[in-house]
Amino acid sequence: MIVFRSVLFNALFYFNLIVQMIVMTPAYFLLPRKKAYGIAKNWVRSNHWLFEVIVGTTFEIEGLENIPKGGYIFAPKHQSFWDAYALLPWLDDPFYILKRELTWIPLFGWYLKKQRMVPVDRSARGKVMAAVMQRTKDEMNSGRQLIIYPEGTRRPPGATPEYKYGIARLYRDLQVPVVPVVMHPGLFWPRRKFIRYPGHFKVRILPAIEPGMDPDAFLAHLVEVMETASDRLLVETAAANPNLPLPPTAERRLAELKAHAA
């Protein structure tokens, strides 16, 4: 049954993406940019509905009161394709720094350009990267929220953390709060697999780290805060979903935490 529900969900997920992108394109490009973002956010909500109805997976968000007003860096754990889009409805006007090749995709790339995402050539240096940073500052100064994953790429639940220094540079240069976010959607929507598991999990938004710290001290603090909260949430999520098959990284980390507690 899990395999059947996973296949059905995946088919409807991509069908929903293609149909909405085609059908809503005229309205999307006629509306002002920020109002047009509502179309993408409604697409996200429809995916949450599909995930709940077809797979049986639900989630809740804790700590919305920790989100500041105006511009800030939103820094979530990244485990799954789910967390690449799932929290957009709760952010006012978010944007990403993303590889420029994504903007070349028909329709999808047009959506990215409309929302003033910041494309970057990852092989670029010098003046090009300075221009990217200036674009990022301009968007941030207009009150937008930069979504960036501190570990850079998807990591399985419980895996040894590998935080990149890039977020410390952004923290130093942008001088805005950083909002850490922990969650374990990778237990239910594993990376590089088509299986989707039923259950319930939490997204926990932690208190913002205010600007002004030394970048090295900031990064050390961010890692400590996020990993401590992530470990706690992993224990809670596993306990709340006793029938959920855990990946080896999560099983290993839970055993380490249990041994440490003993």
Side-chain angles (χ1 to χ4, degrees):
M1 183 59 72
I2 287 179
V3 172
F4 171 75
R5 288 177 179 236
S6 298
V7 170
L8 180 60
F9 170 78
N10 287 326
L12 290 177
F13 175 86
Y14 289 105
F15 178 78
N16 183 39
L17 172 62
I18 293 169
V19 169
Q20 287 209 37
M21 192 170 290
I22 293 173
V23 171
M24 299 305 296
T25 289
Y28 186 82
F29 286 102
L30 287 172
L31 287 171
R33 184 195 63 79
K34 193 170 179 180
K35 286 189 177 180
Y37 217 148
I39 293 175
K41 292 181 179 183
N42 284 333
W43 168 74
V44 172
R45 295 184 183 99
S46 66
N47 289 329
H48 292 332
W49 182 83
L50 288 173
F51 206 21
E52 178 176 355
V53 171
I54 297 175
V55 181
T57 309
T58 58
F59 70 96
E60 61 183 293
I61 301 177
E62 297 179 346
L64 286 170
E65 69 278 4
N66 291 324
I67 295 180
K69 301 291 185 182
Y72 56 86
I73 298 172
F74 196 70
K77 273 284 193 178
H78 192 19
Q79 298 180 349
S80 164
F81 185 59
W82 185 89
D83 52 63
Y85 68 84
L87 301 180
L88 292 181
W90 288 272
L91 304 180
D92 179 46
D93 191 14
F95 71 103
Y96 296 86
I97 300 174
L98 42 79
K99 57 184 180 181
R100 63 175 180 170
E101 289 81 1
L102 292 175
T103 64
W104 301 344
I105 301 173
L107 288 181
F108 181 71
W110 305 344
Y111 274 61
L112 297 179
K113 290 178 181 178
K114 169 87 172 185
Q115 292 305 324
R116 298 205 310 260
M117 303 301 173
V118 179
V120 60
D121 178 356
R122 294 185 176 182
S123 65
R125 296 290 184 272
K127 292 182 179 180
V128 174
M129 293 308 297
V132 168
M133 179 55 69
Q134 187 57 55
R135 274 282 313 275
T136 302
K137 287 181 178 179
D138 291 343
E139 297 298 336
M140 189 69 69
N141 289 338
S142 68
R144 302 188 71 186
Q145 303 82 45
L146 171 62
I147 301 175
I148 187 167
Y149 302 99
E151 292 178 273
T153 188
R154 290 177 296 173
R155 304 278 296 159
T160 302
E162 293 184 0
Y163 287 71
K164 309 301 182 186
Y165 199 76
I167 191 169
R169 293 192 183 97
L170 288 167
Y171 169 81
R172 176 196 63 199
D173 294 342
L174 296 176
Q175 290 293 301
V176 294
V178 172
V179 180
V181 184
V182 296
M183 50 188 160
H184 293 290
L187 296 173
F188 305 87
W189 184 324
R191 65 175 191 156
R192 300 172 187 164
K193 294 182 180 179
F194 81 94
I195 289 292
R196 308 288 178 257
Y197 294 108
H200 181 78
F201 65 95
K202 294 180 179 180
V203 175
R204 189 161 289 162
I205 301 172
L206 307 176
I209 303 173
E210 296 298 327
M213 293 179 66
D214 172 82
D216 292 334
F218 158 77
L219 185 60
H221 178 63
L222 179 72
V223 173
E224 179 182 5
V225 166
M226 289 190 69
E227 290 307 305
T228 299
S230 183
D231 283 343
R232 186 177 299 118
L233 192 55
L234 179 61
V235 172
E236 293 177 17
T237 306
N241 298 273
N243 297 321
L244 180 69
L246 300 177
T249 50
E251 289 185 341
R252 185 163 52 249
R253 186 56 184 158
L254 286 168
E256 291 171 353
L257 293 170
K258 185 177 179 180
H260 182 73

